[in-house]
Amino acid sequence: MRTISSYGVEIRKQNIPVRQTMEVYRQAVGYLTEIYAQVWEDLRKIPETKKRFNTAEHMVHMTKKNTAQFDFDLRFPKMPSYLRRSAIQHALGSVSSYETRLGQWKEQEPGVLSGRPKLTCKNHAMPVFYRDVMYREGAEGKDEAYLKLYDGHDWKWFRVYLKRTDMEYLRRNWKGKKASAPTLEKRHRRYFLRFSYTEEVTLTKTPVKEQIICSVDLGINTDAVCIIMRSDGTVLGRKFIDFPSEKDRIYRILGRIRRSQREHGSAQACGRWAYARRLNTELARKIAGAVTAYAEENHADVIVFEYLEMKGKISGNKKQKLHLWRKRDIQKRCEHQAHRKGVHVSRTCAWNTSRLAYDGSGIVLRDGKNHSLCTFSTGKRYNCDLSASYNIGARYFIRELLKPLPATERSLLEAKVPSVKRRTLCVYADLRELHLQMEILKTA
């Protein structure tokens, strides 16, 4: 399996024409997009991508053996060849996407026509600095690089100083691995060089009965509850992952935003909202890193999440917390980090995982004052998120154990343990019973 990781290295403030280079590149992409939109009927007749690209380049670039139809070289003199080809590729992709969307729009029924697609020429394209011709690494151990930039008159080499902490991270974690050509990136009025690294990894192929899983219940009160479990239901470890200081900082900023909006209106709170979003993104990174680290520490073969899909209008006194809850972002980051370690990621149905007690006693009653606690029908007090994580891991094993069995054997086990027929009602106690019946069936 191939995984791609990227990291943005901040360019320190200095007198280099990064902004001018970005503007010239975007102007070139916009000009080429207009050209290829005019001649798209001729380009679309060429089925092969490489031939289409070569034809498009011959239309705008003058050589000894070729006369260009358009004055691109006069408008953008001395543009490096790799940067010109990158702009051509971007423009072709924009026009092709527009024509596809336009065709789909025309095929709609007359009464269902929505807004007509638009061809955007002034897009947010960012230049790619290809190695040796536009990007050169600095001396070993130094936080610098050399970029070919446009100073308003000509394309020249400039020395760029990079942020020390970012470079130390790359040396520590990606030393000896070749990065792809860096792409210029602009975030929060700062410029970055984004490096991408490609790795070939082999995911674990451990049989289901020998697997160790990390079952994860993501929550709002507690960020994550992790359970290390075997296929017979044996629990090897439990961990509550929580970052109260980070959440307290977010809630304090949200309180300031509410007060500011009451006094001055919503227009004055844009900066604080951006700060709150950055804090929330950083919290998601920490949660994902902690979950992956705990799974790797316990040699887990699979990380199991709930499939969380919230639709419709969110109401109630916790609707703001639910809106800020980055559940899918956490799972996406965990999946990427886990695949780099050779660990699988799986998801199960989220219905009734928190509502049903893990011991099979039925529906639980949530505590009104402390929503993390619940009471079983037997009177037992327990952590609701911990009970849910037991059920999540059990549902994964029930599904994977029953899936490869022949129909007759599966029907026999379902008759012995009727609750496994409906996956949305499976709990941890059902996995224990299913494992017992499978052992009895094996010895019979």
Side-chain angles (χ1 to χ4, degrees), residues 54-86:
N54 292 337
T55 304
E57 186 178 19
H58 291 157
M59 289 180 178
V60 297
H61 181 53
M62 179 81 71
T63 62
K64 292 181 179 179
K65 299 181 180 180
N66 177 66
T67 303
Q69 302 177 23
F70 301 93
D71 60 346
F72 177 83
D73 290 338
L74 296 177
R75 286 174 175 264
F76 305 95
K78 299 182 180 180
M79 177 174 275
S81 58
Y82 283 92
L83 200 62
R84 181 186 67 246
R85 289 166 185 165
S86 174

Side-chain angles (χ1 to χ4, degrees), residues 287-331:
I287 296 170
V291 170
T292 310
Y294 183 66
E296 184 184 7
E297 177 187 340
N298 289 274
H299 310 288
D301 301 297
V302 186
I303 300 177
V304 185
F305 292 102
E306 293 175 297
Y307 180 76
L308 297 171
E309 186 66 37
M310 299 171 62
K311 296 182 180 180
K313 186 177 180 181
I314 300 174
S315 59
N317 58 353
K318 290 191 176 182
K319 64 179 181 180
Q320 188 180 54
K321 289 184 179 181
L322 289 170
H323 277 296
L324 293 172
W325 188 25
R326 298 177 64 87
K327 51 192 179 300
R328 281 189 288 272
D329 185 31
I330 294 170
Q331 292 191 13

Side-chain angles (χ1 to χ4, degrees), residues 19-53:
R19 184 174 58 84
Q20 294 93 315
T21 305
M22 182 185 68
E23 289 177 354
V24 167
Y25 179 75
R26 288 181 175 178
Q27 290 172 9
V29 171
Y31 180 67
L32 290 170
T33 303
E34 293 177 356
I35 290 175
Y36 296 142
Q38 298 172 15
V39 298
W40 183 249
E41 290 301 324
D42 297 330
L43 291 174
R44 73 189 309 170
K45 296 176 183 178
I46 306 174
E48 295 184 18
T49 306
K50 190 174 181 179
K51 287 186 178 180
R52 180 186 295 179
F53 176 84

Side-chain angles (χ1 to χ4, degrees), residues 288 305 327-337 347:
F305 292 102
K327 51 192 179 300
R328 281 189 288 272
D329 185 31
I330 294 170
Q331 292 191 13
K332 184 179 178 181
R333 293 179 185 276
C334 275
E335 184 173 6
H336 178 75
Q337 295 176 20
R347 291 173 178 84

